[in-house]
Amino acid sequence: MITTIERRYSLEEYRAIEEKSETRNEYHDGEIVPMPGGSLNHSRIGRNILTYLTYVLRDSHFEPINSDLRLWIPEYKRGLYPDVMVFAGEPQLNENRNDEVLNPTLIIEVLSPSTADYDHKDKFRMYRSISSFCEYLLVAQNEVFIEKYSKLSQGWLLSDFNNLETSISLESIGVELPIKEIYRGVVFD
């Protein structure tokens, strides 16, 4: 029997590697996990959501950020890259680093076939450990389908949407997000 030794990385080693890396990698409590490549639909949906939210929130205290910024989840020792995050006020930097934040209000993930289960289960469980986090959107890229989780005092409420002519009320940031804006230019197979 051949035993393989798994290399574990300190957070400092990971950060040094990530600063020089040409690709993005998540940090999972000692493991460095490469991020999968995206698709055209995934890129369009992420861009559409970020562009729309940037426009409608431009004169507010909310700030949408793209997937280039790492979210640090202290309880799980994880560094993750959500597709879109929105902050109420200034993003709180982790250890005064300008590449890690701690306090999103809204997180949006565009689902990929390889990460959909992870986004629904493990990632959502980790995100829920963030006290400021109160709304989560999971956006399908191969059909018109969006799941919205809203934090309530007794748990999380799930709502889903599949009609291009409706909007999603994002209570955490006071915005109506038209579904046709999310899927603008997206071509389904």
Side-chain angles (χ1 to χ4, degrees):
M1 177 180 214
I2 299 174
T3 305
T4 58
I5 299 172
E6 185 178 303
R7 168 81 158 93
R8 310 264 317 153
Y9 295 86
S10 71
L11 182 54
E12 292 74 27
E13 288 173 312
Y14 161 73
R15 287 174 174 160
I17 291 168
E18 194 69 358
E19 285 175 4
K20 295 177 182 136
S21 179
E22 292 182 17
T23 60
R24 288 182 300 143
N25 303 283
E26 292 186 343
Y27 182 78
H28 294 195
D29 192 17
E31 281 183 69
I32 294 178
V33 180
M35 299 281 296
S39 69
L40 185 56
N41 279 357
H42 189 285
S43 295
R44 284 178 175 157
I45 291 167
R47 176 207 60 209
N48 290 347
I49 293 169
L50 184 64
T51 300
Y52 186 83
L53 292 178
T54 299
Y55 180 75
V56 299
L57 295 171
R58 70 190 178 281
D59 294 324
S60 75
H61 74 284
F62 294 104
E63 182 178 11
I65 298 288
N66 69 11
S67 62
D68 291 338
L69 189 60
R70 188 170 50 250
L71 172 61
W72 181 249
I73 305 175
E75 184 175 327
Y76 292 94
K77 298 179 185 157
R78 298 288 173 106
L80 307 175
Y81 290 93
D83 290 312
V84 176
M85 293 183 282
V86 180
F87 297 87
E90 246 343 271
Q92 181 184 353
L93 301 177
N94 184 37
E95 300 174 3
N96 292 318
R97 298 183 58 85
N98 67 1
D99 60 351
E100 284 181 1
V101 291
L102 298 164
N103 64 325
T105 297
L106 166 66
I107 297 175
I108 302 171
E109 294 284 7
V110 180
L111 299 177
S112 299
S114 63
T115 64
D117 284 343
Y118 176 55
D119 290 341
H120 274 99
K121 296 175 187 169
D122 293 339
K123 250 189 188 178
F124 186 33
R125 179 173 45 86
M126 289 182 270
Y127 289 162
R128 291 192 310 257
S129 72
I130 301 167
S131 61
S132 62
F133 174 60
C134 60
E135 214 159 24
Y136 189 39
L137 284 188
L138 295 159
V139 182
Q141 65 172 301
N142 296 320
E143 65 175 321
V144 175
F145 188 70
I146 300 156
E147 294 170 282
K148 179 182 102 166
Y149 290 89
S150 303
K151 186 177 184 179
L152 305 173
S153 59
Q154 66 275 22
W156 288 80
L157 173 67
L158 169 64
S159 307
D160 56 46
F161 305 85
N162 62 0
N163 182 341
L164 280 174
E165 301 309 313
T166 60
S167 293
I168 300 169
S169 180
L170 300 174
E171 290 90 2
S172 64
I173 60 172
V175 167
E176 291 289 322
L177 176 57
I179 294 175
K180 65 183 173 190
E181 291 299 328
I182 294 171
Y183 290 103
R184 181 179 296 280
V186 174
V187 178
F188 300 110
D189 296 332

Short mmCIF file of all heavy atoms in Angstrom, two decimals, residues 8 50 54 59-60 73 109 122 142 145 161 163 180 185:
data_model
loop_
_atom_site.label_atom_id
_atom_site.label_comp_id
_atom_site.label_asym_id
_atom_site.label_seq_id
_atom_site.Cartn_x
_atom_site.Cartn_y
_atom_site.Cartn_z
N ARG A 8 0.16 20.46 3.76
CA ARG A 8 -0.66 21.46 4.40
C ARG A 8 0.10 22.79 4.37
O ARG A 8 1.32 22.80 4.52
CB ARG A 8 -0.96 21.09 5.85
CG ARG A 8 -1.48 19.68 6.02
CD ARG A 8 -2.93 19.45 6.10
NE ARG A 8 -3.71 20.33 6.90
CZ ARG A 8 -4.99 20.53 6.63
NH1 ARG A 8 -5.55 19.94 5.61
NH2 ARG A 8 -5.71 21.34 7.37
N LEU A 50 -23.30 42.39 -11.15
CA LEU A 50 -22.41 43.42 -10.60
C LEU A 50 -22.68 44.79 -11.24
O LEU A 50 -22.77 45.80 -10.53
CB LEU A 50 -20.95 43.03 -10.80
CG LEU A 50 -19.93 43.99 -10.19
CD1 LEU A 50 -20.06 44.02 -8.67
CD2 LEU A 50 -18.53 43.61 -10.61
N THR A 54 -24.07 47.86 -9.09
CA THR A 54 -23.18 49.03 -9.01
C THR A 54 -23.95 50.29 -9.40
O THR A 54 -23.83 51.33 -8.75
CB THR A 54 -21.95 48.84 -9.91
OG1 THR A 54 -21.22 47.70 -9.45
CG2 THR A 54 -21.04 50.05 -9.88
N ASP A 59 -25.38 55.75 -5.23
CA ASP A 59 -25.52 56.87 -4.30
C ASP A 59 -25.94 56.41 -2.91
O ASP A 59 -26.50 57.18 -2.13
CB ASP A 59 -26.53 57.89 -4.83
CG ASP A 59 -26.02 58.57 -6.10
OD1 ASP A 59 -24.80 58.81 -6.19
OD2 ASP A 59 -26.84 58.85 -7.00
N SER A 60 -25.68 55.17 -2.59
CA SER A 60 -26.06 54.62 -1.29
C SER A 60 -24.81 54.28 -0.49
O SER A 60 -23.69 54.48 -0.95
CB SER A 60 -26.90 53.35 -1.50
OG SER A 60 -26.07 52.27 -1.90
N ILE A 73 -13.29 33.59 6.31
CA ILE A 73 -14.27 33.09 7.27
C ILE A 73 -13.50 32.50 8.45
O ILE A 73 -13.06 31.35 8.39
CB ILE A 73 -15.21 32.06 6.61
CG1 ILE A 73 -15.86 32.69 5.37
CG2 ILE A 73 -16.25 31.57 7.61
CD1 ILE A 73 -16.71 31.75 4.57
N GLU A 109 -23.79 33.75 -5.65
CA GLU A 109 -22.99 32.74 -6.33
C GLU A 109 -23.71 32.33 -7.61
O GLU A 109 -24.91 32.08 -7.59
CB GLU A 109 -22.79 31.49 -5.45
CG GLU A 109 -21.96 31.71 -4.20
CD GLU A 109 -20.47 31.82 -4.45
OE1 GLU A 109 -20.02 31.86 -5.62
OE2 GLU A 109 -19.73 31.86 -3.44
N ASP A 122 -21.99 23.26 1.88
CA ASP A 122 -20.84 23.64 2.71
C ASP A 122 -20.58 25.14 2.71
O ASP A 122 -20.36 25.74 3.76
CB ASP A 122 -19.58 22.89 2.27
CG ASP A 122 -19.69 21.39 2.53
OD1 ASP A 122 -20.50 20.98 3.39
OD2 ASP A 122 -18.96 20.63 1.88
N ASN A 142 -27.61 27.69 -16.58
CA ASN A 142 -28.10 26.96 -17.75
C ASN A 142 -29.61 26.98 -17.89
O ASN A 142 -30.17 26.33 -18.77
CB ASN A 142 -27.59 25.51 -17.71
CG ASN A 142 -26.08 25.46 -17.79
OD1 ASN A 142 -25.47 26.22 -18.55
ND2 ASN A 142 -25.47 24.61 -17.01
N PHE A 145 -33.34 30.25 -13.25
CA PHE A 145 -33.70 29.73 -11.94
C PHE A 145 -32.77 30.33 -10.88
O PHE A 145 -31.55 30.23 -11.00
CB PHE A 145 -33.62 28.20 -11.88
CG PHE A 145 -34.16 27.64 -10.60
CD1 PHE A 145 -35.52 27.67 -10.33
CD2 PHE A 145 -33.30 27.10 -9.66
CE1 PHE A 145 -36.02 27.16 -9.14
CE2 PHE A 145 -33.79 26.59 -8.46
CZ PHE A 145 -35.16 26.62 -8.21
N PHE A 161 -37.20 31.60 -7.96
CA PHE A 161 -37.70 32.43 -9.05
C PHE A 161 -37.31 31.81 -10.38
O PHE A 161 -36.17 31.36 -10.55
CB PHE A 161 -37.09 33.85 -8.96
CG PHE A 161 -37.31 34.49 -7.62
CD1 PHE A 161 -36.45 34.26 -6.57
CD2 PHE A 161 -38.39 35.33 -7.42
CE1 PHE A 161 -36.64 34.85 -5.33
CE2 PHE A 161 -38.60 35.93 -6.19
CZ PHE A 161 -37.72 35.69 -5.13
N ASN A 163 -39.05 33.22 -13.55
CA ASN A 163 -39.79 33.99 -14.55
C ASN A 163 -39.00 35.26 -14.88
O ASN A 163 -38.77 36.09 -14.01
CB ASN A 163 -41.18 34.33 -13.99
CG ASN A 163 -42.04 35.09 -14.96
OD1 ASN A 163 -41.56 35.68 -15.92
ND2 ASN A 163 -43.33 35.10 -14.70
N LYS A 180 -34.64 39.62 -15.69
CA LYS A 180 -34.16 39.80 -17.07
C LYS A 180 -32.81 40.50 -17.11
O LYS A 180 -32.03 40.30 -18.05
CB LYS A 180 -35.20 40.54 -17.93
CG LYS A 180 -35.46 41.95 -17.52
CD LYS A 180 -36.54 42.57 -18.39
CE LYS A 180 -36.91 43.94 -17.86
NZ LYS A 180 -38.09 44.47 -18.51
N GLY A 185 -28.35 38.80 -22.28
CA GLY A 185 -27.30 38.31 -23.17
C GLY A 185 -26.92 36.86 -22.96
O GLY A 185 -26.04 36.34 -23.65
#
